[in-house]
Amino acid sequence: MMKYFIKKSIFFFIFCLTVFNVSALSVGGSTSGGKIYCDTSNSGFLSLTGFNGTALYWQSSTDSIVWMNTTNTIPQQSYYHLKQTTWYRAIVQDGVFPPDTSTVSLLTIYPSSVGGTVSGGGVFCGGSGAGTLNLTGNTGNVLNWQYSTNNGGSWTSAANTTTVLNYTNITQNTLYEAVVQSNPACPTDTSSKASFVFSPSIAGTVSGGGTFCLGSGAGTLNLTGNTGTILNWQYSTNGGTSWTTVINSTTQLNYTNITQNTLYEAVVQLGSCKADTSSRASFIFNPTVAGTLSGSNTVCYGVNNGSLHLNNNVGGVSGWIFSTNNGVIWTSVLNTTTNFFYTNLTQTTWYEAIVKNGSCKSDTCNHVSITVLPLPIVNAGKDTVIYQGESAKLNGSGVGTPIWAPVTGLDSTNIFKPVASPNNSIIYILTVTDANSCKNADSVRITVNVKQFSGIVSNLFTPNGDGINDNWYIQDIQSYTDNEVFVYNIYGNLVYTKKGYTNDWQGTYNGAALPDGTYYYVLRFDSSDKIFKGSLDIFKNQ
């Protein structure tokens, strides 16, 4: 009976819902739109779908335990600038049915990346040595470290995701920082920078000094560009080998008249760093120095040459001067080299070079003397006329060693008075060399006149070997060396000829004796146009 009543009740309830449109059960549905955000910027909407009934309100929670009601009764829930992770859900009710709760949407909020603070670094004189940088106060994970050697102009990554970075000896200005990110949804942040600053003592630059002819006069040296405290100034007069301290800790040093090569520098120290010395100011004294002239010499009159050379001069040669009266009067020569060439001097001469260095005063070097010796006395004697075949004694004189030239016709060449027997006119030169090797010469002319031939030409000779009249004889023919003879037979054939005949023909032709008979001769001389002709008999049996 009871089962029948229950079934009837259920059937009646369903009938009533259907006929009278009575509400169904509440269904909370599903929320969507959950995301992950950074706490610096977030906003949006959550949506409710698949629900049955009316949204009574939405709820939010920051710990998913304690829920706070909102006044929102629509299927969307907005959010804006959340600072912490928040859960959202909707409460839905249909009619008289109990309310139902939707699914939960989670908005995950991460805190902003905070790079934190890096400790370490410092100011160094030289290398930093090895050490460690430490990152503290960061929010997020270390993505990497990075460093810059151009004051942040560009960065180089260092693969390290820990909060500790070890470094070795750093020797240049360098910045280090860590790159931190709390979540990929949040921008990265960089830590504070650890600085490695290298600030050694820098002595700077000294201006002043210069090149001087004589004294520098008074003036001031100025130090600029220094980093550190000036301990003192110092100077050196031996090229920096040793230094003398000047008590002065300012950037200016006053000096009075400096008269020798001097270097000045400042000594600067920054903190505990090693002291440094500045650039040097140089006082260079570079007056004109004429130098030393070499090449003095003793030469022979008129036949000489040589060179002078200037050494150790400071400055350029502006000219040369010479004097032939021991320096009383000087004559200029246009020559700007350190060498001077002379030739064929005839009197003793002094030479000097004029030197000028920059704007400094000109100076002249020591003088060099070229002493000119007189030529030795020589006299070859008077010109003489002789006849060909005659001799003449040359009457030379002088002081020194004689030598005659050419040797033709002379019985000696190294005495003052040789005998000359030239065949033709000739000029003899007598050269005398004295003790200083100076030479002088004179000449004499020997004119040789040729006599006209007037001798007798033999017209008969008997070449039979008896030693009597065996040769054809021409009187004095040896005195006429320019003679030439021709002998012809009766047929006009030439049987004998000789240039410079000397009475030596014995009537032969090609080595054989000519037959007895009459022959015809022609006698001529180079120095005369006259020709002598006649007949000549050969009789071997006479």
Side-chain angles (χ1 to χ4, degrees), residues 214-228:
L214 298 173
S216 66
T220 302
L221 300 179
N222 293 282
L223 177 66
T224 58
N226 58 299
T227 301

Side-chain angles (χ1 to χ4, degrees), residues 456-467:
I456 298 173
V457 179
S458 173
N459 58 3
L460 172 67
F461 70 106
T462 58
N464 53 17
D466 62 359

